[in-house]
Amino acid sequence: MTLYWLLSVPAHGDGHVAWRDIKSRVVGGELYDFILPQFKIGTLDALVRLSDELGKFDAAYENTMSKFVETLRGLSGSTNRQLQGQLLVDDKPVDQYIRTFSWNNAKYRADRPLSEIVAQIAEQMGSVDSALKTKLTQYNAIKNSLATVRRKQNGNLSVRSLGGVVRPEHCIGNSEYLRTVFVAVPQQLSREWLNSYERLTDMVVPRSSQLVAEDAEYKLYSAVVFKRVFDEFSNKARDAKFIVRDFVYDLETVERDRLAAMEIVEQEQELLDNITEWLRGSFGDVVAAWMHVKALRVFVESILRYGIPPDFLPVLVRPPAKHAAKIKQQLADFYAYLETSTRASDRARSAAGKAKRQDDSGAFDMHEFSNILSSEYMPFVFFEVPWTFLDDAE
């Protein structure tokens, strides 16, 4: 499991000290710089609204990433280990991209208002989601057509195409009055067919039935009837659990069906290649958008928690999996003072008042305000970056 933490703590004017404080408690883990640009802060009301929006986008884009991986795994049949080498972000493996993340100012200009940056990312991801739905709908449609073709090619004699089974000698040929019918008879009813087909209706040619083919479930028989009784014969056969196939031998029709089946196979492969290539190409955009949302969340929550001017240290942490819970608790204990610090409480009270979360007595509960910031309260800004979609376990 590859799990990262993205956290932010007050720097108190010296980021080096804050870094050492974190590193001394993340024993056995790794720390990486997570540098943020100088964003336009905006108003407190706007930050609180962005906090809520960014949380929703974070979850949505994580779900989109998971959908990309699951779709690729299902379409390509690749193992997780194989996908790790195929899925890149800015020509880097995902782990490396996360560890070396830097804000893409050329794509998301930091000098614009935060709300505009968020709207730009949302628009981009909306287009990705729409494209994914369209491509999957197209592929599923052709896949269903292909399944029908394969069922006709490989199914039992009650459903498969008879174009490759029936030969000209099985048919009576062109006749003004007579027609050859082909009937799929369950193996256990074979004797009953031979004993009864001549009496299903009038105008059935005696001793005209012959065995054309058979499989594990059915025997395919032919019989000759007058055209005028074909419908009646079919109904009586159905009542007797014999399946009259809707088939008239015609060489041109057989060839046309064969070519149509080949075309569907080619279309399916072409669409499969197209959507697989698109998924691999767009995956990097999805991960990049997700990480930029994470970066924005860290900035917004840090301003809400620690105030202005910005004086905090964002850090990416890769904790040792076996001791992650213990390290997380140690960090929470060390930064517990932030819950009751005057600076944090005063600013939180102001934001909570604007969010209408201050009770009638005016008493302020930091844990109540934490519901605005995160579903899991920590005394410092804390988000998980769970890159666990390609765990080695298959």
Side-chain angles (χ1 to χ4, degrees):
M1 173 184 291
T2 305
L3 175 66
Y4 295 94
W5 295 338
L6 187 52
L7 53 90
S8 166
V9 299
H12 299 307
D14 193 339
H16 296 290
V17 173
W19 177 280
R20 288 198 299 270
D21 287 341
I22 296 173
K23 188 169 182 60
S24 65
R25 285 155 184 83
V26 184
V27 179
E30 300 173 0
L31 269 64
Y32 306 95
D33 289 319
F34 197 85
I35 300 174
L36 297 176
Q38 293 183 346
F39 294 113
K40 289 185 175 181
I41 295 175
T43 67
L44 189 56
D45 280 344
L47 289 175
V48 172
R49 286 195 298 271
L50 281 176
S51 173
D52 183 58
E53 291 180 10
L54 288 168
K56 294 175 182 177
F57 290 146
D58 189 350
Y61 302 162
E62 184 177 326
N63 181 64
T64 299
M65 277 197 308
S66 177
K67 190 184 301 182
F68 266 59
V69 172
E70 290 298 326
T71 303
L72 266 173
R73 187 187 291 122
L75 293 178
S76 66
S78 299
T79 64
N80 286 349
R81 188 162 299 177
Q82 290 170 332
L83 287 176
Q84 285 176 351
Q86 299 170 9
L87 298 178
L88 304 176
V89 189
D90 291 346
D91 298 322
K92 302 175 184 178
V94 177
D95 273 327
Q96 183 182 351
Y97 174 80
I98 292 175
R99 293 194 302 267
T100 61
F101 174 82
S102 63
W103 184 267
N104 187 344
N105 201 54
K107 189 171 185 178
Y108 307 114
R109 285 173 43 196
D111 60 352
R112 299 168 60 199
L114 290 174
S115 59
E116 291 185 11
I117 300 174
V118 173
Q120 180 186 354
I121 297 175
E123 182 179 4
Q124 171 197 340
M125 289 301 296
S127 298
V128 170
D129 279 335
S130 296
L132 177 60
K133 290 176 182 177
T134 299
K135 289 179 181 294
L136 287 179
T137 298
Q138 292 173 342
Y139 179 73
N140 287 332
I142 196 68
K143 189 176 180 180
N144 289 337
S145 298
L146 181 61
T148 300
V149 167
R150 287 177 173 164
R151 186 168 62 250
K152 290 181 177 180
Q153 291 176 337
N154 306 317
N156 61 49
L157 288 167
S158 70
V159 296
R160 69 178 296 184
S161 173
L162 300 183
V165 177
V166 175
R167 299 190 300 274
E169 56 265 31
H170 296 135
C171 307
I172 198 172
N174 294 327
S175 171
E176 184 178 355
Y177 300 106
L178 299 176
R179 172 175 176 174
T180 303
V181 296
F182 296 94
V183 184
V185 178
Q187 286 281 1
Q188 67 272 20
L189 298 180
S190 177
R191 184 180 297 276
E192 183 176 340
W193 162 262
L194 293 173
N195 291 334
S196 65
Y197 78 92
E198 295 177 357
R199 300 189 301 276
L200 288 176
T201 65
D202 295 332
M203 308 184 79
V204 177
V205 176
R207 294 185 297 279
S208 61
S209 181
Q210 57 178 316
L211 180 63
V212 176
E214 67 177 302
D215 57 29
E217 300 176 68
Y218 290 91
K219 289 184 176 182
L220 183 69
Y221 286 99
S222 66
V224 179
V225 303
F226 278 76
K227 291 181 179 179
R228 60 186 295 185
V229 300
F230 172 75
D231 290 340
E232 181 184 359
F233 180 88
S234 297
N235 292 332
K236 293 293 182 63
R238 188 181 303 111
D239 292 341
K241 299 183 180 179
F242 307 140
I243 302 172
V244 177
R245 298 299 308 277
D246 184 15
F247 178 80
V248 176
Y249 186 84
D250 177 75
L251 187 58
E252 291 184 1
T253 301
V254 170
E255 180 64 11
R256 186 167 59 249
D257 290 345
R258 185 185 71 82
L259 293 176
M262 288 179 59
E263 183 179 357
I264 290 176
V265 172
E266 292 173 357
Q267 288 178 352
E268 190 271 344
Q269 186 60 52
E270 182 179 348
L271 273 176
L272 177 60
D273 293 342
N274 177 275
I275 192 173
T276 300
E277 181 180 357
W278 180 84
L279 283 166
R280 290 186 179 128
S282 300
F283 178 80
D285 295 333
V286 174
V287 175
W290 179 56
M291 283 302 297
H292 280 77
V293 165
K294 290 284 190 186
L296 288 169
R297 291 194 77 187
V298 169
F299 180 81
V300 169
E301 306 304 346
S302 296
I303 296 299
L304 288 173
R305 292 283 188 105
Y306 313 135
I308 54 176
D311 181 26
F312 56 88
L313 176 71
V315 179
L316 184 71
V317 178
R318 183 175 183 178
K322 292 183 179 179
H323 306 293
K326 180 180 178 181
I327 291 174
K328 185 177 179 181
Q329 186 58 53
Q330 289 175 344
L331 288 169
D333 292 342
F334 180 76
Y335 289 105
Y337 73 90
L338 294 174
E339 295 188 46
T340 56
S341 69
T342 301
R343 238 168 33 119
S345 294
D346 286 345
R347 269 185 300 277
R349 181 182 292 107
S350 175
K354 293 188 181 223
K356 297 183 179 179
R357 289 184 173 270
Q358 189 172 356
D359 63 23
D360 294 337
S361 65
F364 173 72
D365 184 354
M366 188 67 178
H367 290 280
E368 181 182 359
F369 178 59
S370 71
N371 291 330
I372 302 177
L373 302 177
S374 173
S375 59
E376 179 185 6
Y377 175 73
M378 296 286 286
F380 52 90
V381 175
F382 176 91
F383 299 112
E384 289 188 345
V385 185
W387 177 240
T388 58
F389 307 109
L390 296 178
D391 287 350
D392 289 337
E394 299 295 338

